[in-house]
Amino acid sequence: MSDLILEKAFELGKLIAESDRYKTMREKEAAMMADVDAVMLIERYQDLQRSHQMARMQGQELTQSQLNEVYELEDKMMQHPLIKEFALIQEDFQKFLNQVNDHISEGIEGPRPAHSCGHT
């Protein structure tokens, strides 16, 4: 039975990879990574994140100036059209994967009861 479950999981993965959502996300990622400015912004952001992570691992608190630097770079990245477009599509794809996981959970545990707002 576990072999069948793994086989079905593999089939599900292939279906997801063939979906328009996944293909669109990969196309937008490729476009973003082909843009020199976008790649430079992403690399600067990753370098900054690594630097701050190393400082925190050494017990150093980040200064307000360092935090502001991160926020400013995040804002700049999200102003870049290719990065912004990829981020939105990636977020949509993650929501889709969450829905898939929710359906798997419902298959295991049964449907979840509807939530009440407390109104009668």
Side-chain angles (χ1 to χ4, degrees):
M1 182 63 139
S2 62
D3 286 345
L4 177 61
I5 294 169
L6 294 175
E7 181 181 321
K8 295 293 183 183
F10 181 77
E11 288 175 24
L12 177 60
K14 288 184 74 80
L15 286 171
I16 291 170
E18 294 169 4
S19 73
D20 288 340
R21 277 187 169 127
Y22 182 79
K23 289 177 183 177
T24 300
M25 183 183 68
R26 288 297 170 217
E27 288 168 6
K28 298 302 179 184
E29 180 181 31
M32 177 184 70
M33 297 309 287
D35 185 272
V36 174
D37 291 335
V39 171
M40 287 177 57
L41 279 170
I42 293 166
E43 287 176 353
R44 260 183 60 209
Y45 183 75
Q46 289 172 338
D47 289 346
L48 190 60
Q49 290 287 73
R50 276 191 290 275
S51 169
H52 290 174
Q53 184 178 8
M54 292 293 285
R56 285 192 300 269
M57 287 172 54
Q58 295 172 355
Q60 299 172 5
E61 291 289 321
L62 296 180
T63 66
Q64 190 60 47
S65 173
Q66 289 171 315
L67 291 173
N68 288 342
E69 185 180 17
V70 171
Y71 300 143
E72 288 172 15
L73 191 49
E74 284 176 346
D75 287 345
K76 190 171 184 177
M77 283 177 38
M78 292 311 290
Q79 290 174 11
H80 191 288
L82 294 174
I83 294 174
K84 182 177 182 177
E85 189 174 26
F86 174 70
L88 292 171
I89 288 171
Q90 187 179 39
E91 182 180 343
D92 180 60
F93 184 73
Q94 187 58 53
K95 287 177 185 176
F96 171 67
L97 289 181
N98 290 342
Q99 288 177 319
V100 170
N101 284 331
D102 288 345
H103 279 73
I104 291 170
S105 293
E106 283 183 26
I108 294 169
E109 301 168 4
R112 295 182 182 156
H115 294 293
S116 169
C117 296
H119 298 103
T120 53

